[in-house]
Structure formats: structure tokens, C-alpha cells
């Protein structure tokens, strides 16, 4: 089973603050990385899928970068809002593994 | 919009009972998945199915079995429930398979989850 680490495990920020968190994963045989957002009492929803080293994806105030050589991805949220409160999950894919391996997530709470 | 539904949001069962968790998707997806989520452990794959009647073990299949008789329905079965199977269970579906089909088609769409308590 692959070791996918997300840090921090949880954080609290004030509304309006910008924040970022990390997904670290083994770089060998890497194929692609998914990011999901999971709000309380809802279903996880896909945010991004990234594959190339140096990839950057953006969706509104949320963006993500990817470094496949060193095995990490950053997720950034600019000007956090209470509705951004959720657990953010990353899931790398390796080779033709056919399955996603999820990290344990970063739980973000944005305080009004 | 893709819709994935699960038969129950909350379920309480007794040790030794046979438990069925049902999942239905309405987007004609080939692939369906069962995960469990426990605090601090993220989503762990139990089983997945890439076609009707086809299944493959995930990372933690012990104590579980699955059934996929129709494309839209994927069932998770706990033959004899135990207290260590108390967890949140999530079903997901996707059009493509990670690492096999075009990137992006492997995006998974999740159901709302079933919180199972085994007493």
C-alpha cells in the first residue's frame, strides 16, 4: 500500500486568509494526481486532475501545483471563505494501477 | 449531473448479521467502487468492479464481498458483521479507469455515504 501523506491534518484560518496545504507521494512510476473536496454531510467532489510536472490548475480561488520529480502537490486557497470549509483529499495514480490511493486528507475550517 | 445513491445514510446492525449495502448510479458508468473511511486513514478501497459480474479486490477486501449483476448497481456484502467494520462506507462510479482510460474520465463520483454501526 502506497504512502500518501497530507499535511497538516487540520487547520483553522480566518475568513479572508489565504492558505495552502501539501500532498506528498512516492514519485516512482507516477501517472496522475486527483484532488477532491469533501464537505461535511456531502459527497466528495472532484477538484482537479493533474499529470505533468509543473502543472498548475485553477478553479476560482483554489489552485494546485504539481511536482512529479520530488513527489508533492500544493493546494492553495486565496481569500478563504466559510464555504471552503471541507476536507481536501489527494489521490495519486501509479502506472496502470486502475485505482486511486487516497491520502488521509487536510481538514480546513474557515472561521467567519 | 451524475447521481450516485446509497440505500441508507445510517445503519445499525448486530455482530454476526449479514449486511447489504446498495449503490446505484444513473450515468451508465462502467466502473464502480466501494470505500470505507475511518478517522485519520482516508478513503480505503475495498473492492471495485469494471464491468457487470467483474470485480477486483482493493486494499482491504477481507470480510467483504461484492455483487454486480446489473451495470447500474453495485452491492457490498458483509457476510458476518463485526464491530471492526463499524465505519463510513462510500460508493463511487467512474466512466474510465485510472491509468487505463483517458485522463479525466477516471474522475470518480461519490454517493453520500452510509454510516454503519455494528454493535
Amino acid at each position: 500500500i502506497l504512502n500518501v501523506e497530507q499535511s497538516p491534518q487540520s487547520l483553522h484560518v480566518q475568513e479572508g486568509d489565504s492558505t495552502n496545504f501539501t500532498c506528498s507521494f512516492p514519485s516512482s512510476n507516477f501517472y496522475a494526481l486527483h484532488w477532491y473536496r469533501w464537505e461535511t454531510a456531502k459527497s466528495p467532489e472532484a477538484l482537479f486532475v493533474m499529470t505533468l510536472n509543473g502543472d498548475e490548475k485553477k478553479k476560482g480561488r483554489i489552485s494546485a501545483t504539481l511536482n512529479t520529480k520530488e513527489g508533492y502537490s500544493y493546494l492553495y486557497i486565496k481569500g478563504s471563505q466559510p464555504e471552503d470549509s471541507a476536507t481536501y483529499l489527494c489521490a495519486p495514480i501509479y502506472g496502470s494501477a486502475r485505482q486511486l490511493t487516497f491520502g488521509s486528507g487536510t481538514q480546513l475550517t474557515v472561521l467567519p | 449531473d451524475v447521481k450516485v445513491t446509497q440505500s441508507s445514510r445510517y445503519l445499525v446492525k448486530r455482530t454476526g448479521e449479514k449486511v447489504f449495502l446498495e449503490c446505484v448510479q444513473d450515468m451508465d458508468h462502467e466502473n464502480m467502487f466501494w470505500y470505507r473511511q475511518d478517522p485519520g486513514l482516508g478513503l480505503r478501497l475495498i473492492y471495485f468492479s469494471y464491468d457487470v459480474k467483474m470485480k477486483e479486490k482493493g486494499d482491504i477486501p477481507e470480510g467483504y464481498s461484492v455483487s454486480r449483476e446489473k451495470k447500474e448497481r453495485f452491492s457490498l456484502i458483509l457476510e458476518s458483521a463485526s464491530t471492526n467494520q463499524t465505519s463510513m462506507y462510500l460508493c463511487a462510479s467512474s466512466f474510465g479507469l485510472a491509468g487505463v482510460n483517458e485522463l479525466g474520465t477516471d474522475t470518480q463520483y461519490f454517493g453520500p455515504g452510509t454510516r454503519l454501526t455494528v454493535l
Side-chain angles (χ1 to χ4, degrees), chain B residues 57-119:
Chain B
K57 292 179 181 178
D59 296 323
I60 51 163
E62 297 79 19
Y64 303 95
S65 62
V66 290
S67 172
R68 193 161 179 209
E69 296 295 320
K70 292 185 178 181
K71 192 175 186 180
E72 67 271 17
R73 188 179 298 269
F74 191 35
S75 303
L76 180 70
I77 304 155
L78 287 66
E79 293 290 342
S80 178
S82 63
T83 55
N84 62 14
Q85 292 178 309
T86 291
S87 187
M88 168 73 89
Y89 290 88
L90 285 109
C91 174
S93 72
S94 70
F95 179 72
L97 262 184
V100 174
N101 301 115
E102 183 181 342
L103 193 65
T105 66
D106 57 342
T107 295
Q108 294 186 14
Y109 298 85
F110 286 84
T114 296
R115 187 165 291 283
L116 172 67
T117 302
V118 183
L119 302 175

Side-chain angles (χ1 to χ4, degrees), chain A:
Chain A
I1 295 179
L2 296 163
N3 187 23
V4 181
E5 294 186 358
Q6 291 190 247
S7 61
Q9 204 166 24
S10 67
L11 75 161
H12 293 71
V13 301
Q14 290 293 138
E15 183 176 353
D17 287 351
S18 294
T19 187
N20 65 85
F21 26 92
T22 308
C23 170
S24 302
F25 49 86
S27 56
S28 175
N29 207 27
F30 173 85
Y31 176 71
L33 180 84
H34 285 253
W35 278 100
Y36 285 81
R37 173 169 63 195
W38 191 1
E39 294 178 64
T40 303
K42 293 187 178 179
S43 309
E45 289 185 341
L47 277 174
F48 306 114
V49 57
M50 314 169 75
T51 186
L52 298 174
N53 187 44
D55 241 358
E56 182 169 346
K57 299 273 182 166
K58 193 171 180 182
K59 191 174 184 177
R61 293 178 290 96
I62 304 176
S63 60
T65 60
L66 179 66
N67 183 321
T68 61
K69 293 183 179 178
E70 294 180 44
Y72 64 84
S73 175
Y74 292 139
L75 192 83
Y76 300 91
I77 303 179
K78 187 176 177 183
S80 304
Q81 299 296 309
E83 59 265 31
D84 296 328
S85 297
T87 296
Y88 291 83
L89 298 164
C90 69
I93 306 162
Y94 291 88
S96 58
R98 304 194 296 169
Q99 63 185 67
L100 278 60
T101 302
F102 283 88
S104 56
T106 292
Q107 186 175 14
L108 173 67
T109 303
V110 182
L111 304 168

